[in-house]
Amino acid sequence: MSSCDTCVVRNRAICAGLDNREIEALNQIGRRRVVTAGEPLIWEDDDSLLVANVIEGVLKLTTSTEDGREQIVGVAYPSDFIGRPFGQTSSASVVALTDARVCVFSRNDFDRFAREHPELEHKLLERTLAELDRTRSWMMLLGRKNASEKIATFLLEMSDRLAETGCTPAFGPAKRFSLPFSRQQVADVLGLTIETVSRQFTKLKNDGVIELPSRREVEILNRGALVAIAG
């Protein structure tokens, strides 16, 4: 039995459209890798040497400003594809936010495989367009929404994305989940201060919209209210 046969995200990952023979061929050029929290997988501006499917865990995509500060520009969840196929350099660093498992491919091997399998290229295009849509939505969030709307939108997205834990999407979004971000990282992602983030979390809790069992855990008590706040 190959690692693809036991992959918990096979039906949602980039390789979902491949038949068994093609899956076996892809399995021959890939390998599983465990990435511990804080460990980098890809470095910004380095040669693009690998791409990967996320199997478990959450990873952040970051870029650095001229003065050395880190900016989180994306987040990869289980079944997401990371890396830059058909590209020469990596546009962002990829670092594990939590302990994670990924299926890693040499970029050259993957590029060659994709050219030989149009269905995989089609999936890559679908993922690219979906990522473009998410980027446009994020620009709207950063440019037009106020602090309360940003926090509500962020929590709804976490609820949706962290619910996907098996071969098929879970039944509905997660009601309770652990944030892979610190409060400071939430602030950085949303363009807010950590004080504003803490105030907004406290307000949502006091209003009965969410519960905060611990520093990282969130439980959504009134999803309708959270949707209304998100605008």
Side-chain angles (χ1 to χ4, degrees), residues 152-170:
T153 302
F154 172 79
L155 291 177
L156 288 170
E157 180 179 352
M158 291 296 100
S159 173
D160 290 337
R161 296 305 305 272
L162 294 175
E164 300 177 1
T165 56
C167 290
T168 58

Side-chain angles (χ1 to χ4, degrees), residues 151 183 193-203 215:
I151 292 294
R183 296 291 172 87
T193 66
I194 189 172
E195 293 80 10
T196 298
V197 170
S198 295
R199 282 197 301 269
Q200 292 299 325
F201 271 90
T202 299
K203 185 177 188 303
R215 185 72 175 172

Side-chain angles (χ1 to χ4, degrees), residues 82-109:
I82 52 179
R84 187 72 178 270
F86 309 112
Q88 297 301 313
T89 59
S90 300
S91 60
S93 296
V94 179
V95 181
L97 277 170
T98 68
D99 290 346
R101 286 197 303 137
V102 295
C103 188
V104 177
F105 306 92
S106 158
R107 184 187 62 81
N108 288 334
D109 289 344

Side-chain angles (χ1 to χ4, degrees), residues 30-219:
R31 61 184 177 88
R32 294 290 181 91
R33 177 172 169 181
V34 174
V35 190
T36 58
E39 181 182 352
L41 181 65
I42 296 172
W43 288 104
E44 180 184 7
D45 294 330
D46 273 6
D47 291 342
S48 180
L49 299 179
L50 61 86
V51 296
N53 276 328
V54 182
I55 302 171
E56 294 179 359
V58 181
L59 301 96
K60 63 179 179 179
L61 283 67
T62 69
T63 60
S64 298
T65 61
E66 290 184 359
D67 60 2
R69 289 177 298 166
E70 175 190 274
Q71 177 62 51
I72 298 175
V73 295
V75 183
Y77 301 89
S79 81
D80 281 351
F81 184 79
I82 52 179
R84 187 72 178 270
F86 309 112
Q88 297 301 313
T89 59
S90 300
S91 60
S93 296
V94 179
V95 181
L97 277 170
T98 68
D99 290 346
R101 286 197 303 137
V102 295
C103 188
V104 177
F105 306 92
S106 158
R107 184 187 62 81
N108 288 334
D109 289 344
F110 185 87
D111 288 356
R112 183 165 51 252
F113 185 92
R115 291 189 184 97
E116 296 169 353
H117 297 82
E119 185 60 32
L120 187 62
E121 284 194 311
H122 180 72
K123 285 290 185 181
L124 281 171
L125 177 59
E126 285 184 341
R127 292 295 176 107
T128 300
L129 294 175
E131 184 64 30
L132 179 59
D133 287 342
R134 282 195 294 268
T135 300
R136 287 169 172 163
S137 297
W138 202 254
M139 289 174 64
M140 172 70 174
L141 178 148
L142 293 177
R144 295 295 181 181
K145 293 193 173 187
N146 61 33
S148 60
E149 291 170 336
K150 287 181 178 181
I151 292 294
T153 302
F154 172 79
L155 291 177
L156 288 170
E157 180 179 352
M158 291 296 100
S159 173
D160 290 337
R161 296 305 305 272
L162 294 175
E164 300 177 1
T165 56
C167 290
T168 58
F171 183 76
K175 181 180 179 182
R176 181 169 176 164
F177 50 90
S178 294
L179 288 174
F181 301 95
S182 67
R183 296 291 172 87
Q184 183 61 63
Q185 288 172 324
V186 173
D188 292 342
V189 166
L190 298 178
L192 302 171
T193 66
I194 189 172
E195 293 80 10
T196 298
V197 170
S198 295
R199 282 197 301 269
Q200 292 299 325
F201 271 90
T202 299
K203 185 177 188 303
L204 288 172
K205 177 181 178 180
N206 291 341
D207 290 345
V209 178
I210 66 172
E211 184 56 74
L212 302 171
S214 68
R215 185 72 175 172
R216 290 288 185 102
E217 282 190 298
V218 175
E219 182 177 1

